[in-house]
């Protein structure tokens, strides 16, 4: 533990007190690791080979960026031989997500002077690390969700550092990995847009960089050809059952089609299940947004509206429920969205941004 | 103590309590019609904590009437896996000495009291023998819920009552196992009847 130093103006941040976050935050990050281990799957999930095998050889298709990057390894070894690599990459991505969250929280905690606020923010980080998000990330080994989240966090971190051009790169890549990127990007876009409106700092940069994923999402929707998708699927070394599923997803799946399927098969009769799931998964999100309001209420402009924006941002990933049948997989993204809202509260949404 | 400091204390107390609750809770993975709870690489005592029991109770009724379980229960013997046993048309299974079968995979049902029914038939090569019948939960917290060795003749039907406790239902899936001990038996059907609700 380190005793805080004096500022350049000669005033003490916390003279005589200990920078508590330097002790608490790493401990809480380790707790996050335990939380991931609680859910970590024993091996690569079945039926997700296509994420790692589909490439752009036959033309532009969706969800093929990871497969294209993975292609050099697939040329050397079989998919089964590469399972340990996919597992290791998944664990590394989970560790990187914890590390990114740690870095982002450390930034907002360090920018605060009152020890009560610093401790509250550190405990909000604990709340995120213990939330259902972490074990769910560990659970889906081989899915690309962890990479989607990493790209969102990388872009957000770069925006907070003022590196807007660099931030646009991961956000352009995100929808090429998986269109679900949009559900995790939405909270970031909301807080950036609100920052542009309320603080006017870097307004155009915020708006332009947060629009980057719209371009690549449009490319995913408009540029894929059935011929390219069919060619890529036909040459895959997977079972016919998986190929049939892929044809349905890669060739025929649309947002409206997915929603129609949800209306027909998933929603009817499952209202109590949705309510049960939300009642379990969302309290950490509420707690983190509550902590943000507690810590920053007096530093926001348009306070009530800002709180509404943060709540909407935290809830934004829930829109995935309209299109995807694996309910908790996307609902838990709300936990991270709440954390993003909190971090934005202490940085881009405060009336005068801390420069440290 | 100032009012602000008191409010901080209360808020942080709530946040730490909530965080501890979620840390000790199982991993919950839900679909619209089914929930799966698990603990992977954490100490087993996590599953003995109050948060584990509270969450298991909260999600216990989630799997009532799950479509996958309903499909399994319509014709269970069609969804079992042969470990040396031989599958015959009509989802019949010839099980010789040293051979076995198990399944179905991931039958999630709510806690409660049940009866497993095993029905046997006969064929040209399989009619009379002895078999071990088991009902168990799978996964890291696997338990044998019922275990019975029976002398089988054509038309034999064995009812095996068992109780699926709350944590067993939450952290595992129900599986049926039939192991051949002597000669050859022909398994015709497995059924599951609910006797009573959650414990």
């Amino acid at each position: 533990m380190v005793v805080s130093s004096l500022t350049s103006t000669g005033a003490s941040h916390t003279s005589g007190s200990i920078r508590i976050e330097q002790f608490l935050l790493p401990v809480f990050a380790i707790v996050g690791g335990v939380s991931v281990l609680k859910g970590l799957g024993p091996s690569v999930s079945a039926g997700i080979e296509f994420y790692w095998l589909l490439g752009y050889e036959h033309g532009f298709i969706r969800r093929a960026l990871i497969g294209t990057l993975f292609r050099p390894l697939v040329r050397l070894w079989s998919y089964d031989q590469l399972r340990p690599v996919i597992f290791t990459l998944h664990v590394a991505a989970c560790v990187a997500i914890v590390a990114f969250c740690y870095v982002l929280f450390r930034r907002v905690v360090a920018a605060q002077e009152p020890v009560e606020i610093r401790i509250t923010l550190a405990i909000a980080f604990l709340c995120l690390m213990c939330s259902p998000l972490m074990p769910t990330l560990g659970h889906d080994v081989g899915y690309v969700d962890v990479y989607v989240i990493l790209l969102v966090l990388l872009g957000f971190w770069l925006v907070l550092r003022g590196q807007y051009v660099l931030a646009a790169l991961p956000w352009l890549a995100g929808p090429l990995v998986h269109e679900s990127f949009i559900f995790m990007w939405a909270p970031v876009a909301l807080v950036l847009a609100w920052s542009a409106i309320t603080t006017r700092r870097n307004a155009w940069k915020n708006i332009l960089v947060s629009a980057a994923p719209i371009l690549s999402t449009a490319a995913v929707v408009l540029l894929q050809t059935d011929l390219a998708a069919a060619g890529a699927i036909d040459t895959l070394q997977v079972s016919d059952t998986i190929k049939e599923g892929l044809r349905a997803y890669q060739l025929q799946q649309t947002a409206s089609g997915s929603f129609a399927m949800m209306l027909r098969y998933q929603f009817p009769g499952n209202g109590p299940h949705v309510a049960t799931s939300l009642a379990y998964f969302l309290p950490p999100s509420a707690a983190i947004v509550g902590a943000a309001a507690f810590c920053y209420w007096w530093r926001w402009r348009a306070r009530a509206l800002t709180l509404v924006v943060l709540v909407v941002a935290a809830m934004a990933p829930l829109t995935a429920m309209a299109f995807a049948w694996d309910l908790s997989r996307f609902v838990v993204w709300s936990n991270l969205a709440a954390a993003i809202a909190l971090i934005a509260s202490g940085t881009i949404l405060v009336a005068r941004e801390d420069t440290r | 103590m100032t009012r602000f400091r008191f409010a901080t204390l209360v808020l942080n107390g709530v946040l730490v309590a909530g965080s501890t609750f979620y840390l000790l809770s199982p991993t919950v993975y839900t679909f619209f019609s089914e929930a799966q709870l698990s603990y992977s690489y954490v100490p087993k005592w996590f599953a003995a904590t109050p948060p584990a029991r509270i969450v298991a109770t909260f999600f216990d009724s989630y799997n009532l009437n799950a479509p996958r379980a309903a499909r399994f229960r319509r014709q269970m013997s069609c969804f079992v896996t042969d470990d040396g046993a031989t599958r015959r048309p009509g989802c019949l299974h010839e099980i010789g000495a040293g051979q076995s079968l198990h399944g179905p995979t991931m039958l999630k049902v709510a806690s409660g009291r049940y009866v497993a029914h095993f029905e046997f038939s006969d064929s040209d090569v399989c009619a009379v023998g002895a078999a071990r019948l088991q009902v168990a939960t799978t996964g890291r917290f696997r338990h044998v819920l019922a275990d019975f060795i029976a002398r089988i003749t054509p038309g034999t039907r064995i009812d095996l009552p068992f109780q699926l406790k709350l944590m067993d239902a939450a952290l595992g899936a129900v599986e049926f196992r039939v192991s051949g001990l002597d000669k050859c038996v022909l398994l015709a059907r497995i059924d599951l009847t609910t006797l009573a609700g959650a414990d």
Side-chain angles (χ1 to χ4, degrees), chain A residues 53-73:
Chain A
L53 298 177
L54 279 177
Y56 293 132
E57 287 86 352
H58 299 268
F60 182 80
I61 57 172
R62 60 182 159 192
R63 302 180 189 179
L65 182 58
I66 292 275
T68 301
L69 295 174
F70 203 60
R71 184 49 51 95
L73 294 178

PDB file of all heavy atoms in Angstrom, chain A residues 53-73:
ATOM      1  N   LEU A  53     -13.750 -22.005 -38.340  1.00  0.00           N
ATOM      2  CA  LEU A  53     -13.403 -22.594 -39.640  1.00  0.00           C
ATOM      3  C   LEU A  53     -13.883 -21.769 -40.832  1.00  0.00           C
ATOM      4  O   LEU A  53     -13.303 -21.854 -41.911  1.00  0.00           O
ATOM      5  CB  LEU A  53     -13.993 -24.009 -39.739  1.00  0.00           C
ATOM      6  CG  LEU A  53     -13.474 -25.014 -38.683  1.00  0.00           C
ATOM      7  CD1 LEU A  53     -14.184 -26.355 -38.827  1.00  0.00           C
ATOM      8  CD2 LEU A  53     -11.969 -25.202 -38.807  1.00  0.00           C
ATOM      9  N   LEU A  54     -14.939 -20.976 -40.637  1.00  0.00           N
ATOM     10  CA  LEU A  54     -15.441 -20.182 -41.762  1.00  0.00           C
ATOM     11  C   LEU A  54     -14.474 -19.042 -42.077  1.00  0.00           C
ATOM     12  O   LEU A  54     -14.040 -18.332 -41.177  1.00  0.00           O
ATOM     13  CB  LEU A  54     -16.810 -19.576 -41.423  1.00  0.00           C
ATOM     14  CG  LEU A  54     -18.048 -20.454 -41.576  1.00  0.00           C
ATOM     15  CD1 LEU A  54     -19.282 -19.683 -41.116  1.00  0.00           C
ATOM     16  CD2 LEU A  54     -18.218 -20.914 -43.009  1.00  0.00           C
ATOM     17  N   GLY A  55     -14.158 -18.885 -43.356  1.00  0.00           N
ATOM     18  CA  GLY A  55     -13.254 -17.805 -43.747  1.00  0.00           C
ATOM     19  C   GLY A  55     -13.799 -17.045 -44.943  1.00  0.00           C
ATOM     20  O   GLY A  55     -14.921 -17.283 -45.396  1.00  0.00           O
ATOM     21  N   TYR A  56     -12.982 -16.125 -45.434  1.00  0.00           N
ATOM     22  CA  TYR A  56     -13.405 -15.272 -46.549  1.00  0.00           C
ATOM     23  C   TYR A  56     -12.945 -15.812 -47.917  1.00  0.00           C
ATOM     24  O   TYR A  56     -13.019 -15.087 -48.902  1.00  0.00           O
ATOM     25  CB  TYR A  56     -12.832 -13.867 -46.370  1.00  0.00           C
ATOM     26  CG  TYR A  56     -13.406 -13.109 -45.174  1.00  0.00           C
ATOM     27  CD1 TYR A  56     -12.553 -12.462 -44.277  1.00  0.00           C
ATOM     28  CD2 TYR A  56     -14.779 -13.041 -44.952  1.00  0.00           C
ATOM     29  CE1 TYR A  56     -13.067 -11.761 -43.186  1.00  0.00           C
ATOM     30  CE2 TYR A  56     -15.296 -12.354 -43.866  1.00  0.00           C
ATOM     31  CZ  TYR A  56     -14.434 -11.710 -42.981  1.00  0.00           C
ATOM     32  OH  TYR A  56     -14.948 -11.034 -41.910  1.00  0.00           O
ATOM     33  N   GLU A  57     -12.475 -17.063 -47.977  1.00  0.00           N
ATOM     34  CA  GLU A  57     -11.924 -17.577 -49.244  1.00  0.00           C
ATOM     35  C   GLU A  57     -12.928 -17.523 -50.396  1.00  0.00           C
ATOM     36  O   GLU A  57     -12.568 -17.332 -51.553  1.00  0.00           O
ATOM     37  CB  GLU A  57     -11.477 -19.040 -49.094  1.00  0.00           C
ATOM     38  CG  GLU A  57     -10.224 -19.229 -48.287  1.00  0.00           C
ATOM     39  CD  GLU A  57     -10.520 -19.315 -46.807  1.00  0.00           C
ATOM     40  OE1 GLU A  57     -11.692 -19.071 -46.433  1.00  0.00           O
ATOM     41  OE2 GLU A  57      -9.613 -19.605 -46.028  1.00  0.00           O
ATOM     42  N   HIS A  58     -14.208 -17.699 -50.071  1.00  0.00           N
ATOM     43  CA  HIS A  58     -15.229 -17.748 -51.132  1.00  0.00           C
ATOM     44  C   HIS A  58     -15.935 -16.401 -51.311  1.00  0.00           C
ATOM     45  O   HIS A  58     -16.892 -16.308 -52.072  1.00  0.00           O
ATOM     46  CB  HIS A  58     -16.260 -18.831 -50.803  1.00  0.00           C
ATOM     47  CG  HIS A  58     -15.654 -20.203 -50.724  1.00  0.00           C
ATOM     48  ND1 HIS A  58     -15.587 -21.057 -51.796  1.00  0.00           N
ATOM     49  CD2 HIS A  58     -15.036 -20.853 -49.699  1.00  0.00           C
ATOM     50  CE1 HIS A  58     -14.982 -22.173 -51.440  1.00  0.00           C
ATOM     51  NE2 HIS A  58     -14.638 -22.072 -50.171  1.00  0.00           N
ATOM     52  N   GLY A  59     -15.470 -15.399 -50.606  1.00  0.00           N
ATOM     53  CA  GLY A  59     -16.108 -14.086 -50.674  1.00  0.00           C
ATOM     54  C   GLY A  59     -16.461 -13.616 -49.275  1.00  0.00           C
ATOM     55  O   GLY A  59     -16.231 -14.330 -48.291  1.00  0.00           O
ATOM     56  N   PHE A  60     -17.049 -12.427 -49.204  1.00  0.00           N
ATOM     57  CA  PHE A  60     -17.359 -11.853 -47.897  1.00  0.00           C
ATOM     58  C   PHE A  60     -18.597 -12.519 -47.292  1.00  0.00           C
ATOM     59  O   PHE A  60     -19.650 -12.580 -47.933  1.00  0.00           O
ATOM     60  CB  PHE A  60     -17.603 -10.350 -48.025  1.00  0.00           C
ATOM     61  CG  PHE A  60     -17.878  -9.695 -46.703  1.00  0.00           C
ATOM     62  CD1 PHE A  60     -16.834  -9.372 -45.853  1.00  0.00           C
ATOM     63  CD2 PHE A  60     -19.174  -9.430 -46.301  1.00  0.00           C
ATOM     64  CE1 PHE A  60     -17.081  -8.775 -44.627  1.00  0.00           C
ATOM     65  CE2 PHE A  60     -19.433  -8.845 -45.068  1.00  0.00           C
ATOM     66  CZ  PHE A  60     -18.383  -8.518 -44.238  1.00  0.00           C
ATOM     67  N   ILE A  61     -18.455 -13.034 -46.088  1.00  0.00           N
ATOM     68  CA  ILE A  61     -19.604 -13.598 -45.364  1.00  0.00           C
ATOM     69  C   ILE A  61     -19.523 -13.148 -43.908  1.00  0.00           C
ATOM     70  O   ILE A  61     -18.473 -12.721 -43.440  1.00  0.00           O
ATOM     71  CB  ILE A  61     -19.645 -15.140 -45.422  1.00  0.00           C
ATOM     72  CG1 ILE A  61     -18.345 -15.740 -44.858  1.00  0.00           C
ATOM     73  CG2 ILE A  61     -19.882 -15.618 -46.835  1.00  0.00           C
ATOM     74  CD1 ILE A  61     -18.405 -17.228 -44.709  1.00  0.00           C
ATOM     75  N   ARG A  62     -20.657 -13.261 -43.221  1.00  0.00           N
ATOM     76  CA  ARG A  62     -20.644 -12.804 -41.832  1.00  0.00           C
ATOM     77  C   ARG A  62     -20.033 -13.857 -40.904  1.00  0.00           C
ATOM     78  O   ARG A  62     -20.007 -15.033 -41.224  1.00  0.00           O
ATOM     79  CB  ARG A  62     -22.045 -12.420 -41.383  1.00  0.00           C
ATOM     80  CG  ARG A  62     -23.063 -13.518 -41.444  1.00  0.00           C
ATOM     81  CD  ARG A  62     -24.412 -12.957 -41.023  1.00  0.00           C
ATOM     82  NE  ARG A  62     -25.499 -13.782 -41.512  1.00  0.00           N
ATOM     83  CZ  ARG A  62     -26.757 -13.408 -41.496  1.00  0.00           C
ATOM     84  NH1 ARG A  62     -27.081 -12.208 -41.059  1.00  0.00           N
ATOM     85  NH2 ARG A  62     -27.697 -14.198 -41.933  1.00  0.00           N
ATOM     86  N   ARG A  63     -19.580 -13.384 -39.759  1.00  0.00           N
ATOM     87  CA  ARG A  63     -19.019 -14.223 -38.689  1.00  0.00           C
ATOM     88  C   ARG A  63     -17.787 -14.995 -39.139  1.00  0.00           C
ATOM     89  O   ARG A  63     -17.523 -16.077 -38.628  1.00  0.00           O
ATOM     90  CB  ARG A  63     -20.077 -15.194 -38.163  1.00  0.00           C
ATOM     91  CG  ARG A  63     -21.307 -14.494 -37.634  1.00  0.00           C
ATOM     92  CD  ARG A  63     -22.347 -15.460 -37.122  1.00  0.00           C
ATOM     93  NE  ARG A  63     -23.592 -14.749 -36.817  1.00  0.00           N
ATOM     94  CZ  ARG A  63     -24.694 -15.340 -36.369  1.00  0.00           C
ATOM     95  NH1 ARG A  63     -24.715 -16.631 -36.162  1.00  0.00           N
ATOM     96  NH2 ARG A  63     -25.775 -14.623 -36.114  1.00  0.00           N
ATOM     97  N   ALA A  64     -17.031 -14.472 -40.088  1.00  0.00           N
ATOM     98  CA  ALA A  64     -15.900 -15.232 -40.609  1.00  0.00           C
ATOM     99  C   ALA A  64     -14.557 -14.590 -40.291  1.00  0.00           C
ATOM    100  O   ALA A  64     -13.521 -15.089 -40.740  1.00  0.00           O
ATOM    101  CB  ALA A  64     -16.051 -15.410 -42.123  1.00  0.00           C
ATOM    102  N   LEU A  65     -14.526 -13.522 -39.519  1.00  0.00           N
ATOM    103  CA  LEU A  65     -13.254 -12.859 -39.245  1.00  0.00           C
ATOM    104  C   LEU A  65     -12.352 -13.737 -38.369  1.00  0.00           C
ATOM    105  O   LEU A  65     -11.163 -13.915 -38.665  1.00  0.00           O
ATOM    106  CB  LEU A  65     -13.497 -11.504 -38.566  1.00  0.00           C
ATOM    107  CG  LEU A  65     -12.233 -10.697 -38.268  1.00  0.00           C
ATOM    108  CD1 LEU A  65     -11.431 -10.412 -39.533  1.00  0.00           C
ATOM    109  CD2 LEU A  65     -12.563  -9.386 -37.563  1.00  0.00           C
ATOM    110  N   ILE A  66     -12.926 -14.298 -37.312  1.00  0.00           N
ATOM    111  CA  ILE A  66     -12.120 -15.146 -36.413  1.00  0.00           C
ATOM    112  C   ILE A  66     -11.580 -16.352 -37.192  1.00  0.00           C
ATOM    113  O   ILE A  66     -10.410 -16.706 -37.075  1.00  0.00           O
ATOM    114  CB  ILE A  66     -12.979 -15.624 -35.218  1.00  0.00           C
ATOM    115  CG1 ILE A  66     -13.317 -14.434 -34.315  1.00  0.00           C
ATOM    116  CG2 ILE A  66     -12.285 -16.739 -34.448  1.00  0.00           C
ATOM    117  CD1 ILE A  66     -12.279 -14.074 -33.288  1.00  0.00           C
ATOM    118  N   GLY A  67     -12.445 -16.970 -38.009  1.00  0.00           N
ATOM    119  CA  GLY A  67     -12.031 -18.133 -38.789  1.00  0.00           C
ATOM    120  C   GLY A  67     -10.916 -17.786 -39.762  1.00  0.00           C
ATOM    121  O   GLY A  67      -9.994 -18.573 -39.972  1.00  0.00           O
ATOM    122  N   THR A  68     -10.995 -16.603 -40.345  1.00  0.00           N
ATOM    123  CA  THR A  68      -9.961 -16.174 -41.283  1.00  0.00           C
ATOM    124  C   THR A  68      -8.634 -15.980 -40.547  1.00  0.00           C
ATOM    125  O   THR A  68      -7.573 -16.395 -41.030  1.00  0.00           O
ATOM    126  CB  THR A  68     -10.392 -14.863 -41.972  1.00  0.00           C
ATOM    127  OG1 THR A  68     -11.627 -15.104 -42.643  1.00  0.00           O
ATOM    128  CG2 THR A  68      -9.355 -14.404 -42.977  1.00  0.00           C
ATOM    129  N   LEU A  69      -8.684 -15.363 -39.365  1.00  0.00           N
ATOM    130  CA  LEU A  69      -7.465 -15.159 -38.589  1.00  0.00           C
ATOM    131  C   LEU A  69      -6.896 -16.495 -38.089  1.00  0.00           C
ATOM    132  O   LEU A  69      -5.695 -16.648 -37.910  1.00  0.00           O
ATOM    133  CB  LEU A  69      -7.757 -14.245 -37.382  1.00  0.00           C
ATOM    134  CG  LEU A  69      -8.171 -12.816 -37.721  1.00  0.00           C
ATOM    135  CD1 LEU A  69      -8.583 -12.054 -36.461  1.00  0.00           C
ATOM    136  CD2 LEU A  69      -7.042 -12.086 -38.429  1.00  0.00           C
ATOM    137  N   PHE A  70      -7.788 -17.461 -37.882  1.00  0.00           N
ATOM    138  CA  PHE A  70      -7.393 -18.766 -37.346  1.00  0.00           C
ATOM    139  C   PHE A  70      -6.902 -19.699 -38.453  1.00  0.00           C
ATOM    140  O   PHE A  70      -6.314 -20.745 -38.180  1.00  0.00           O
ATOM    141  CB  PHE A  70      -8.617 -19.374 -36.650  1.00  0.00           C
ATOM    142  CG  PHE A  70      -8.300 -20.401 -35.608  1.00  0.00           C
ATOM    143  CD1 PHE A  70      -7.532 -20.100 -34.495  1.00  0.00           C
ATOM    144  CD2 PHE A  70      -8.783 -21.691 -35.734  1.00  0.00           C
ATOM    145  CE1 PHE A  70      -7.248 -21.050 -33.537  1.00  0.00           C
ATOM    146  CE2 PHE A  70      -8.508 -22.653 -34.775  1.00  0.00           C
ATOM    147  CZ  PHE A  70      -7.741 -22.332 -33.677  1.00  0.00           C
ATOM    148  N   ARG A  71      -7.166 -19.317 -39.699  1.00  0.00           N
ATOM    149  CA  ARG A  71      -6.919 -20.196 -40.845  1.00  0.00           C
ATOM    150  C   ARG A  71      -5.480 -20.739 -40.928  1.00  0.00           C
ATOM    151  O   ARG A  71      -5.286 -21.933 -41.219  1.00  0.00           O
ATOM    152  CB  ARG A  71      -7.292 -19.449 -42.137  1.00  0.00           C
ATOM    153  CG  ARG A  71      -7.200 -20.235 -43.446  1.00  0.00           C
ATOM    154  CD  ARG A  71      -7.891 -21.582 -43.381  1.00  0.00           C
ATOM    155  NE  ARG A  71      -9.264 -21.523 -42.895  1.00  0.00           N
ATOM    156  CZ  ARG A  71     -10.340 -21.461 -43.664  1.00  0.00           C
ATOM    157  NH1 ARG A  71     -10.202 -21.478 -44.959  1.00  0.00           N
ATOM    158  NH2 ARG A  71     -11.537 -21.426 -43.130  1.00  0.00           N
ATOM    159  N   PRO A  72      -4.456 -19.929 -40.676  1.00  0.00           N
ATOM    160  CA  PRO A  72      -3.088 -20.488 -40.766  1.00  0.00           C
ATOM    161  C   PRO A  72      -2.896 -21.709 -39.874  1.00  0.00           C
ATOM    162  O   PRO A  72      -2.194 -22.649 -40.251  1.00  0.00           O
ATOM    163  CB  PRO A  72      -2.212 -19.314 -40.302  1.00  0.00           C
ATOM    164  CG  PRO A  72      -3.009 -18.103 -40.610  1.00  0.00           C
ATOM    165  CD  PRO A  72      -4.433 -18.488 -40.404  1.00  0.00           C
ATOM    166  N   LEU A  73      -3.523 -21.709 -38.703  1.00  0.00           N
ATOM    167  CA  LEU A  73      -3.387 -22.858 -37.798  1.00  0.00           C
ATOM    168  C   LEU A  73      -4.174 -24.054 -38.322  1.00  0.00           C
ATOM    169  O   LEU A  73      -3.730 -25.199 -38.227  1.00  0.00           O
ATOM    170  CB  LEU A  73      -3.873 -22.491 -36.387  1.00  0.00           C
ATOM    171  CG  LEU A  73      -3.044 -21.439 -35.643  1.00  0.00           C
ATOM    172  CD1 LEU A  73      -3.655 -21.135 -34.288  1.00  0.00           C
ATOM    173  CD2 LEU A  73      -1.614 -21.932 -35.465  1.00  0.00           C
TER     174      LEU A  73
END
